């Protein structure tokens, strides 16, 4: 048995025996062709180690030791889970003779392997070279995105143990599952209990991407990684013979697990008022703002512009006030223009891109949004014209009233004098 670790920076990798190495020479050659420096060690080697001075020695570890009962040098399941927690990638190959360490390690990432001695059985989709147990099955249930499986994957040969995903673990990815007529059980025993999984719930290859973007892949069959299965032909019930797609499928899955594909990074985050230079100062309510970010994807060892039309920007103050789709160009620059809400406060420009098969991309920039200054309000607002008219009409009415009140005089009639008033009163 062999455990193999791969590191693009350190020329190290934990090991295998000569038989395992010979049976998987094409696999190991493909891994080396991906630019990985490889070192082999026995899984039971007393000098086996995956970290030194608290730092991981490897970027990636491949375990080709399904039946190992204990790792050398006291390495335990907790050491491998710590490796994943620190950002390392892990590939595990299992078989019908899977040992407890591999079973426990798979369980740590939300994948349950069936009991030792069991296999995936399919009485409808088995290869014509099957030996009568119907456990040499043809896998066609590719469920993961093409970034993991590759475009248009071909059917693959599988002979190994079945798996089931933990329903409470949302991080588990169904990469390849069995057909609806398959089930997991010991081929030479009667079915007395309900199997671990049946139909499409039987996982043949599964994965998990942790929240720190570390990736874990579990192959239920170490044979599907062998030179023999790479070069075999597939025929179901005497149908037309086709070449197996094992090599291309495994190569694409390994590239994904090593983060050579589906790996995103961002740079060049800018935001500014439309037509002005980028700045980090406060914006004013109702300003027209432009936001841009550059996103790149790792492809064949190189960073190339990322192509997608579902990247969104959120302008958040507790809850999103604006959600807009970023428009990409050919150089990987994503940009959008929008109007700042008419509510002042502290906001964030937030890009949170989380898609199956891609690393989680998160960018956040905090800005303040202020209200209008007193000198920035409009002097005359169209909607207030009725109020303006009312005020001026009152002023005009007051002027007219004042003019009338001050300068208007009622006409008076002259009174006629009476005889009594004009008569002289004699004095006696």
């Amino acid at each position: 048995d062999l455990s193999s670790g791969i590191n693009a920076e350190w020329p190290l990798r934990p090991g295998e025996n000569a038989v395992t190495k010979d049976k998987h020479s094409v696999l190991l050659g493909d891994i080396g062709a991906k630019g990985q420096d490889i070192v082999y060690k026995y899984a039971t080697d007393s000098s086996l180690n995956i970290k030194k001075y608290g730092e991981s020695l490897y970027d990636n570890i491949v375990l080709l030791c399904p039946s190992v009962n204990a790792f050398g040098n006291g390495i335990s399941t907790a050491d491998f889970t710590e490796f994943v927690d620190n950002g390392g990638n892990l590939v595990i190959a299992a078989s019908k003779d899977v040992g407890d360490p591999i079973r426990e390690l798979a369980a740590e990432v939300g994948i349950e392997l069936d009991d030792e001695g069991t296999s995936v059985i399919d009485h409808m989709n088995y290869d014509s070279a099957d030996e009568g147990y119907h456990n040499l099955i043809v896998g066609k249930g590719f469920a993961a995105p093409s970034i993991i499986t590759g475009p248009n994957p071909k059917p693959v040969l599988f002979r190994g143990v079945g798996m089931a995903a933990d329903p409470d673990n949302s991080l588990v990815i169904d990469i390849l599952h069995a057909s609806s007529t398959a089930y997991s059980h010991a081929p030479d025993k009667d079915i007395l209990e309900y199997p671990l999984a049946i139909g499409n719930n039987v996982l043949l290859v599964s994965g998990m991407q942790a929240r720190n973007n570390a990736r874990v892949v579990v192959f239920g069959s170490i044979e599907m990684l062998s030179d023999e299965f790479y070069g075999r032909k597939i025929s179901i019930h005497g149908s037309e013979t086709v070449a197996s797609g094992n090599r291309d499928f495994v190569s694409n899955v390994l590239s994904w697990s090593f983060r050579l594909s589906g790996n995103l990074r961002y740079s060049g985050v800018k935001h500014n008022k439309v037509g002005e230079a980028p700045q980090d100062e406060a914006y004013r309510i109702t300003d027209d703002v432009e936001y841009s970010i550059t996103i790149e994807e790792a492809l064949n060892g190189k960073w190339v512009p990322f192509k997608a039309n579902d990247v969104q920007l959120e302008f958040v103050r507790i809850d999103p006030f604006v959600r807009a789709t970023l428009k990409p160009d050919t150089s990987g620059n994503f940009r959008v223009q929008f109007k700042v809400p008419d509510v002042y406060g502290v906001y964030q420009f937030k890009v949170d891109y989380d898609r199956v098969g891609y690393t989680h991309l998160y960018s956040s920039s905090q800005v303040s949004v202020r209200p209008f200054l007193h000198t920035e309000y409009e002097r005359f607002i169209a909607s207030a014209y009725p109020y303006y008219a009312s005020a001026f009409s009152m002023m005009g009415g007051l002027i007219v009233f004042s003019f009338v009140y001050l300068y208007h005089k009622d006409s008076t009639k002259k009174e006629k004098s009476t005889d009594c008033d004009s008569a002289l009163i004699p004095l006696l």
Side-chain angles (χ1 to χ4, degrees):
D1 282 337
L2 152 80
S3 63
S4 52
I6 309 166
N7 192 309
E9 299 175 358
W10 293 73
L12 293 173
R13 164 181 183 166
E16 75 196 287
N17 60 29
V19 175
T20 305
K21 188 174 181 178
D22 291 341
K23 287 184 177 181
H24 300 82
S25 60
V26 178
L27 168 69
L28 301 175
D30 289 346
I31 292 175
K34 297 179 185 298
Q36 307 295 308
D37 294 326
I38 305 174
V39 170
Y40 307 96
K41 287 188 179 292
Y42 290 104
T44 56
D45 193 336
S46 60
S47 64
L48 182 64
N49 204 356
I50 62 176
K51 66 179 180 179
K52 190 175 183 180
Y53 304 124
E55 297 291 334
S56 298
L57 296 176
Y58 315 108
D59 291 334
N60 313 289
I61 293 179
V62 179
L63 300 177
L64 301 178
C65 49
S67 60
V68 66
N69 292 317
F71 291 101
N73 198 24
I75 299 297
S76 65
T77 301
D79 294 312
F80 287 107
T81 55
E82 182 183 359
F83 170 77
V84 175
D85 289 340
N86 292 332
N89 306 309
L90 183 63
V91 177
I92 305 170
S95 71
K96 63 183 183 64
D97 299 319
V98 63
D100 289 339
I102 297 299
R103 186 187 310 279
E104 293 173 3
L105 186 55
E108 288 289 337
V109 296
I111 301 169
E112 182 180 358
L113 297 173
D114 208 348
D115 296 335
E116 184 177 358
T118 61
S119 298
V120 179
I121 301 171
D122 192 337
H123 300 300
M124 301 299 294
N125 295 280
Y126 61 90
D127 188 70
S128 58
D130 182 81
E131 299 176 354
Y133 291 111
H134 297 175
N135 61 350
L136 180 59
I137 67 173
V138 178
K140 297 180 288 185
F142 302 100
S146 60
I147 192 65
I148 300 177
T149 63
N152 303 317
K154 299 177 182 178
V156 298
L157 280 176
F158 180 95
R159 181 163 55 198
V161 67
M163 299 176 284
D166 182 355
D168 296 328
N169 191 337
S170 60
L171 302 178
V172 175
I173 302 172
D174 177 3
I175 297 177
L176 174 64
H177 60 245
S179 69
S180 59
T181 56
Y183 62 94
S184 180
H185 200 269
D188 55 350
K189 294 182 180 180
D190 296 334
I191 301 178
L192 302 178
E193 296 180 354
Y194 197 84
L196 172 70
I198 62 173
N200 297 148
N201 292 327
V202 180
L203 303 184
L204 308 181
V205 181
S206 56
M208 188 276 293
Q209 179 168 285
R211 290 185 174 86
N212 64 350
N213 290 327
R215 292 171 176 174
V216 179
V217 172
V218 181
F219 291 92
S221 168
I222 191 173
E223 288 186 84
M224 75 179 301
L225 311 178
S226 66
D227 297 352
E228 178 187 359
F229 275 44
Y230 275 14
R232 289 185 67 162
K233 303 293 184 179
I234 296 177
S235 177
I236 302 177
H237 304 312
S239 62
E240 182 181 357
T241 301
V242 297
S244 75
N246 286 51
R247 183 174 184 179
D248 291 338
F249 169 71
V250 172
S251 178
N252 289 325
V253 172
L254 289 179
S255 293
W256 178 81
S257 64
F258 298 157
R259 275 185 275 181
L260 299 178
S261 64
N263 191 17
L264 303 179
R265 72 176 183 182
Y266 72 90
S267 61
V269 176
K270 300 176 183 178
H271 52 85
N272 54 271
K273 295 180 183 179
V274 175
E276 298 185 7
Q279 50 100 12
D280 295 323
E281 298 178 0
Y283 293 100
R284 191 189 64 185
I285 58 175
T286 70
D287 274 346
D288 291 320
V289 175
E290 181 179 37
Y291 177 90
S292 65
I293 184 173
T294 300
I295 304 177
E296 296 175 304
E297 175 186 8
L299 190 63
N300 298 324
K302 297 181 180 179
W303 290 101
V304 299
F306 180 56
K307 298 178 181 179
N309 56 8
D310 58 348
V311 182
Q312 291 186 330
L313 167 72
E314 293 181 338
F315 197 56
V316 180
R317 195 200 70 170
I318 303 177
D319 292 322
F321 275 66
V322 175
R323 182 179 288 118
T325 301
L326 293 162
K327 297 180 180 179
D329 58 20
T330 56
S331 59
N333 292 320
F334 292 73
R335 62 182 68 245
V336 68
Q337 294 183 5
F338 66 94
K339 186 179 290 292
V340 174
D342 193 9
V343 180
Y344 61 87
V346 178
Y347 287 79
Q348 287 182 331
F349 292 100
K350 185 180 293 186
V351 175
D352 190 357
Y353 189 75
D354 191 7
R355 299 293 185 273
V356 176
Y358 290 97
T359 52
H360 184 199
L361 188 72
Y362 182 84
S363 172
S364 177
S365 304
Q366 182 171 295
V367 294
S368 298
V369 174
R370 63 173 177 82
F372 283 101
L373 300 178
H374 293 295
T375 57
E376 293 176 328
Y377 283 100
E378 295 182 34
R379 294 305 181 192
F380 296 97
I381 303 175
S383 60
Y385 282 171
Y387 301 96
Y388 300 153
S390 174
F392 283 109
S393 65
M394 289 294 295
M395 293 171 60
L398 178 62
I399 294 173
V400 172
F401 173 78
S402 300
F403 181 83
V404 171
Y405 183 80
L406 294 175
Y407 296 98
H408 175 71
K409 183 179 181 181
D410 293 335
S411 58
T412 58
K413 297 180 180 180
K414 294 182 179 180
E415 297 180 355
K416 295 181 179 180
S417 59
T418 61
D419 293 341
C420 293
D421 293 335
S422 59
L424 293 177
I425 300 175
L427 298 173
L428 296 178

